[in-house]
């Protein structure tokens, strides 16, 4: 990996798996490591935490719900470094009754400055696999299909949202796991993008992981979202995303799949 730079996209930035990923990359990656957050104060606080540990992260403000913010950040990395070598997308949160998901176009904008032979790691969740297994057989077949398109995926996710609004989602073949379904969508999108990149850029090794086009599952980690009874610490949860981010140049696997406990499960 050349012209070292790493961009981490996640919320919240000052704790949990995201902070642990930045910490590990600062220790293991020989280059500039950037963390991003929509909230300037949180981002600066995260930098202070890691600086106090003797690490040297950099900060770039970024709101992944704002196209102009994404475009501005992408332009900064292109102009400053010629692009990014590693992108870890750790944006996500579990809502009690609703969920925000990344639209494919948003993710493509985030990926825009990634260089050839770069890495993209989408932090997904084993909850995505669980939710998928609770979907109807019809939905399972489509999500797992190798010919599913971005447009079809968007349609499926929008269908889920609309059915939940009327309380008809279970009858329609969806589970109650809103967060899980959002991660099903993220993992599926990562695989779609992996297949697309393999076809359009066969000589580039841009790996996405749910951990795009590759997927990573950190497991059940002790965070504000997952609770304090989870068996893994944030540092332990960062192991798989960091492993995928630091795959050696020329590595062809894993690619376009979902890893959990270092095992391909989807």
């Amino acid at each position: 990996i050349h012209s070292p730079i790493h961009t981490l996209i996640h919320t919240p930035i000052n704790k949990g798996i995201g902070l642990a990923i930045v910490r590990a990359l600062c220790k293991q990656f020989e280059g500039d490591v950037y963390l991003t957050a929509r909230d300037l104060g949180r981002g600066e606080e995260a930098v202070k935490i890691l600086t106090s540990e003797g690490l040297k992260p950099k900060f770039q403000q970024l709101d992944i719900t704002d196209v102009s913010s994404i475009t501005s950040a992408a332009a900064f990395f292109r102009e400053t470094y010629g692009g990014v070598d590693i992108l870890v997308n750790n944006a996500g949160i579990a809502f009690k009754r609703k969920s925000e998901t990344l639209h494919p176009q948003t993710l493509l904008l985030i990926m825009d400055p990634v260089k050839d032979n770069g890495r993209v790691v989408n932090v997904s969740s084993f909850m995505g696999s669980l939710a998928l297994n609770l979907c109807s057989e019809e939905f399972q077949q489509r999500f797992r299909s190798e010919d599913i398109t971005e447009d079809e995926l968007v349609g499926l996710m929008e269908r889920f949202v609309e059915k939940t609004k009327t309380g008809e989602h279970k009858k329609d073949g969806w589970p109650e796991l809103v967060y899980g379904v959002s991660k099903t969508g993220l993992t599926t999108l990562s695989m779609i993008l992996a297949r697309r990149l393999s076809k359009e850029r066969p000589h580039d090794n841009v790996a996405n992981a749910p951990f795009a086009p590759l997927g990573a599952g950190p497991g059940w980690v002790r965070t504000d979202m997952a609770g304090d009874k989870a068996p893994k610490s944030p540092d332990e949860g960062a192991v798989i995303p960091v492993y995928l981010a630091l795959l050696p140049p020329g590595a062809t696997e894993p690619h376009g799949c979902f890893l959990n406990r270092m095992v391909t499960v989807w």
Side-chain angles (χ1 to χ4, degrees):
I1 298 177
H2 53 282
S3 304
I5 170 177
H6 172 87
T7 304
L8 173 70
I9 300 174
H10 69 114
T11 52
I13 189 65
N14 61 337
K15 52 189 173 183
I17 298 171
L19 186 65
I21 292 173
V22 178
R23 177 183 290 115
L25 287 169
C26 281
K27 293 178 179 179
Q28 300 178 44
F29 185 66
E30 296 181 359
D32 292 339
V33 178
Y34 277 77
L35 57 85
T36 71
R38 72 177 70 180
D39 185 276
L40 180 62
R42 277 183 163 177
E44 292 177 339
E45 179 61 28
V47 170
K48 289 181 181 178
I49 292 172
L50 295 173
T51 300
S52 70
E53 299 174 10
L55 303 175
K56 298 179 179 180
K58 296 179 179 291
F59 175 69
Q60 172 69 28
Q61 189 171 19
L62 172 63
D63 182 352
I64 63 166
T65 67
D66 183 346
V67 172
S68 63
S69 177
I70 297 171
T71 303
S72 176
F76 165 77
F77 290 122
R78 279 196 303 271
E79 293 167 6
T80 307
Y81 297 92
V84 300
D85 290 296
I86 304 170
L87 168 69
V88 178
N89 169 34
N90 185 52
I93 189 169
F95 291 81
K96 296 300 182 180
R97 296 190 181 277
K98 63 179 181 178
S99 174
E100 294 179 355
T101 58
L102 286 177
H103 189 280
Q105 186 59 35
T106 301
L107 186 54
L108 288 170
L109 284 170
I110 296 172
M111 290 170 55
D112 179 54
V114 178
K115 297 177 181 177
D116 294 349
N117 298 303
R119 294 281 184 277
V120 181
V121 179
N122 283 329
V123 181
S124 191
S125 170
F126 68 92
M127 290 298 291
S129 299
L130 177 60
L132 177 62
N133 290 330
L134 294 174
C135 286
S136 67
E137 187 66 29
E138 176 189 356
F139 287 149
Q140 289 189 46
Q141 290 179 357
R142 290 318 302 156
F143 279 116
R144 291 192 171 102
S145 173
E146 293 193 359
D147 62 7
I148 185 173
T149 64
E150 293 172 31
D151 288 341
E152 182 181 0
L153 175 60
V154 170
L156 285 169
M157 302 307 289
E158 291 178 342
R159 175 172 173 170
F160 172 69
V161 171
E162 292 305 312
K163 292 298 182 181
T164 56
K165 290 179 180 180
T166 60
E168 299 176 297
H169 53 288
K170 289 188 68 176
K171 182 179 179 181
D172 194 46
W174 301 97
E176 292 283 4
L177 304 173
V178 176
Y179 173 73
V181 173
S182 74
K183 292 301 185 182
T184 298
L186 176 59
T187 301
T188 304
L189 176 60
S190 297
M191 294 175 178
I192 291 172
L193 295 177
R195 290 191 288 265
R196 177 168 145 187
L197 284 176
S198 294
K199 181 178 180 180
E200 296 179 359
R201 297 164 63 177
H203 301 297
D204 301 343
N205 186 32
V206 180
N208 282 310
F211 279 130
L214 182 71
W220 189 13
V221 179
R222 290 189 295 277
T223 62
D224 289 350
M225 186 178 77
D228 57 7
K229 294 183 179 180
K232 286 186 176 183
S233 69
D235 287 335
E236 290 172 322
V239 169
I240 294 179
V242 172
Y243 163 75
L244 292 171
L246 298 180
L247 285 170
T252 58
E253 293 182 353
H255 176 68
C257 58
F258 176 80
L259 262 65
N260 191 37
R261 299 181 183 176
M262 294 300 184
V263 177
T264 301
V265 295
W266 183 350

